[in-house]
């Protein structure tokens, strides 16, 4: 049970830090309704780098072609020499949409479903989280103010 708690805490810290990084530059949505579709994954070890690159290209393509997507960011974990808290996840993807309904429509779009049918079988493990961005943290403003509530909880300067 202790390892589950540690795992959950490490995931919360990773998500909080990702949120801090993203908060400074994410696109503003009308009415301050912003949804982040966040995916972490580790590709199957049997895949070649060329196969991984094709999946990455396809992910960028599906998000670039969908007008509901306001921003798409992705990156690779820096590895244990920087911080060993990724729990084996190697890649992170952050898609920004402007409402719950847009998120539902994006996730149910035939192009997104086709991509998901390529992506998830190629992943040894993956997690997808959809969350409504809280634009106000008690006493701390997000967005244009450049402040980040979760970062401040941990004494981290954004």
């Amino acid at each position: 049970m202790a390892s589950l708690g540690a795992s959950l805490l490490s995931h919360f810290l990773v998500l909080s830090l990702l949120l801090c990084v993203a908060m400074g530059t994410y696109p503003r949505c009308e009415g301050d309704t912003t949804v982040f579709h966040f995916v972490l994954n580790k590709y199957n070890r049997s895949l070649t780098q060329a196969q991984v690159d094709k999946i990455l290209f396809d992910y960028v393509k599906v998000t670039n072609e969908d007008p509901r997507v306001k921003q798409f960011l992705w990156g690779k974990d820096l590895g244990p020499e920087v911080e060993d808290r990724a729990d084996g996840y190697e890649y992170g993807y952050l898609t920004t949409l402007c409402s719950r309904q847009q998120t539902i429509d994006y996730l149910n779009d035939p192009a997104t479903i086709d991509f998901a049918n390529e992506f998830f079988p190629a992943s040894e493990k993956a997690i997808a989280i959809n969350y409504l961005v809280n634009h106000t943290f008690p006493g701390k403003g997000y967005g244009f103010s450049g402040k980040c509530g979760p970062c401040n909880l941990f004494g981290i300067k954004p």
Side-chain angles (χ1 to χ4, degrees), residues 1 6 11 25 32 36 56-58 63 81 87 90 95 100 106-107 110 112 131 145 152-153:
M1 187 61 116
H11 283 92
T25 59
D32 279 346
F36 285 164
L56 292 171
F57 176 83
D58 291 347
T63 59
E81 66 275 2
D87 196 29
E90 298 175 324
T95 306
R100 290 174 193 241
Y106 165 73
L107 294 174
T112 305
Y131 57 96
S145 71
N152 295 333
L153 281 175

Side-chain angles (χ1 to χ4, degrees), residues 103-120:
T103 304
I104 291 166
D105 294 345
Y106 165 73
L107 294 174
N108 289 295
D109 187 278
T112 305
I113 292 170
D114 285 347
F115 173 71
N117 289 334
E118 171 189 13
F119 178 82
F120 287 105

Side-chain angles (χ1 to χ4, degrees), residues 19-28 36 71 73 96 143-144 146:
L19 184 61
C20 293
V21 171
M23 294 318 290
T25 59
Y26 76 94
R28 298 294 290 190
F36 285 164
Q71 183 179 55
L73 303 168
T96 305
F144 298 122

Side-chain angles (χ1 to χ4, degrees), residues 26-75:
Y26 76 94
R28 298 294 290 190
C29 296
E30 191 173 314
D32 279 346
T33 302
T34 305
V35 176
F36 285 164
H37 172 67
F38 180 52
V39 177
L40 293 172
N41 86 311
K42 177 180 183 177
Y43 289 106
N44 291 322
R45 291 184 210 143
S46 62
L47 296 179
T48 66
Q49 188 59 51
Q51 290 170 313
V52 170
D53 290 346
K54 182 193 179 308
I55 295 168
L56 292 171
F57 176 83
D58 291 347
Y59 206 158
V60 171
K61 184 178 180 207
V62 78
T63 59
N64 281 343
E65 292 177 354
D66 193 314
R68 293 171 289 236
V69 174
K70 299 301 177 194
Q71 183 179 55
F72 176 69
L73 303 168
W74 71 273

